[in-house]
Amino acid sequence: MRKLKAACQKLKHTLSHSLEATIEVDGLFGGNDFDSSLTRDKFEQINQGLLDRCLLPVERALSDASVTAEEICEIVLIGGSTRIVAVQTLLERRFPGKKLSKQINPDEAVAMGAAIQAANLTLTYDQKTGSAQGSCLQGLTLMDVLPHSVGIELHTGKMSVIISRNTTIPYSHTRTYYNNEDNQTEVNVEVFEGEETIAAENRLLGKFSLPGIPPRPRGKVSIEVTFSVDANSILEVTASVVGEDGVSASLLIKKEKGLLSRQELETKAAQARLWEENSRQRKLN
């Protein structure tokens, strides 16, 4: 299978500059050779589902940056897959009148970016903030951002976002909430990450309780919830009752806590593919 995979990879590369390519594998199985040919049109037809997904991160990037396609000045192609003609065609259709920039080696750009990020991960906080000498990244400004929105679950089950994704870190933000029951003496704080409106559909990072709330009518107790993310992506969540000294609780969440397991990643990917297929069917109907 390794030989077949390598041959398929070579065929894909050939179709980036040819209309048809041939695949040949000697002794593929049981001593039998394998050979076949594939046209670029057939290749694009087979991979149409994957090609359609290519525009999803493009649309997300435009939305996060709050810009329109017309405001984009230049489109730089990064990554080996940008050599695929169908990918370039998708971008040209999405950004009509914009010329695709191919001046940068797409493979070297990815390797260089990975090397810079790896070097950044080895730095101490003082080196990242510039207060220590000897950084291997002097002259470069790297901005870490929060990959997912984080917040808490409201009593309605909805997600209340406290720090939005793509926020530059370190960062801290506080929001005020109120008791939702009469004479409530304790609240449970559940911390989630994700972009879904319903909290339960997002990733649960942790939970803790805040006891000692003074019994008062509904809406008369103010509770401040603070999310603080440091330069190492460690999240600290603190909840405290306004005007009541000592009535507070906190939770520390390290970045490893938010990582999805392999099974969760596969489930998320399957859900994304199902959503895309349903969306495509709705468009056809």
Side-chain angles (χ1 to χ4, degrees):
M1 292 303 295
R2 185 171 60 222
K3 293 167 61 176
L4 180 61
K5 183 178 180 180
C8 290
Q9 186 83 355
K10 183 179 179 180
L11 179 140
K12 182 183 71 171
H13 292 168
T14 303
L15 289 176
S16 294
H17 53 78
S18 300
L19 295 178
E20 187 174 0
T22 301
I23 181 172
E24 297 178 351
V25 183
D26 295 333
L28 176 61
F29 181 75
N32 297 317
D33 300 336
F34 173 78
D35 65 89
S36 182
S37 61
L38 187 69
T39 64
R40 183 186 293 173
D41 288 340
K42 186 62 176 180
F43 170 79
E44 294 175 359
Q45 179 183 346
I46 294 173
N47 293 282
Q48 191 58 53
L50 295 174
L51 293 171
D52 291 342
R53 291 171 59 184
C54 290
L55 283 181
L56 293 178
V58 174
E59 299 296 343
R60 188 178 300 118
L62 290 173
S63 176
D64 291 344
S66 299
V67 297
T68 63
E70 291 72 21
E71 295 176 285
I72 299 299
C73 300
E74 186 178 18
I75 303 170
V76 181
L77 300 182
I78 299 298
S81 293
T82 59
R83 292 191 179 95
I84 299 175
V85 177
V87 172
Q88 297 179 12
T89 302
L90 284 173
L91 291 172
E92 289 172 341
R93 291 175 179 173
R94 183 63 184 87
F95 300 93
K98 308 290 184 180
K99 187 176 181 180
L100 304 181
S101 176
K102 305 176 184 179
Q103 298 178 355
I104 299 176
N105 185 304
D107 299 314
E108 289 182 3
V110 173
M112 184 176 294
I116 292 174
Q117 178 62 12
N120 184 49
L121 292 175
T122 65
L123 300 181
T124 64
Y125 177 78
D126 289 338
Q127 288 174 326
K128 288 183 178 181
T129 56
S131 57
Q133 300 296 322
S135 171
C136 57
L137 297 177
Q138 289 182 356
L140 290 177
T141 301
L142 299 178
M143 294 171 45
D144 289 333
V145 298
L146 204 63
H148 303 287
S149 299
V150 289
I152 64 173
E153 181 179 16
L154 300 176
H155 70 281
T156 58
K158 292 185 177 182
M159 171 86 159
S160 177
V161 175
I162 296 181
I163 303 181
S164 300
R165 69 186 178 98
N166 289 332
T167 298
T168 304
I169 58 176
Y171 185 77
S172 180
H173 187 64
T174 300
R175 292 193 64 175
T176 302
Y177 302 88
Y178 300 90
N179 59 323
N180 56 69
E181 297 179 5
D182 292 334
N183 301 319
Q184 186 176 1
T185 60
E186 183 177 357
V187 295
N188 295 318
V189 180
E190 295 190 346
V191 182
F192 289 86
E193 70 169 2
E195 315 308 321
E196 301 297 331
T197 304
I198 305 301
E201 296 178 359
N202 294 313
R203 166 81 173 182
L204 177 65
L205 296 180
K207 53 186 176 181
F208 64 97
S209 297
L210 174 62
I213 299 175
R216 294 174 187 168
R218 176 182 179 182
K220 297 300 181 181
V221 178
S222 300
I223 302 172
E224 290 185 343
V225 178
T226 301
F227 276 41
S228 298
V229 184
D230 66 14
N232 295 316
S233 299
I234 297 177
L235 170 64
E236 182 177 11
V237 181
T238 303
S240 59
V241 177
V242 177
E244 298 290 334
D245 294 337
V247 183
S248 65
S250 62
L251 174 69
L252 194 66
I253 301 171
K254 296 185 178 181
K255 57 184 178 182
E256 291 82 3
K257 178 68 177 181
L259 296 178
L260 299 177
S261 65
R262 179 175 295 276
Q263 182 178 359
E264 289 171 322
L265 286 172
E266 292 175 352
T267 301
K268 291 285 186 182
Q271 291 173 344
R273 289 193 293 269
L274 179 61
W275 181 87
E276 290 165 13
E277 179 61 27
N278 292 338
S279 178
R280 190 179 302 111
Q281 291 298 327
R282 286 196 296 269
K283 289 180 180 179
L284 293 176
N285 296 332

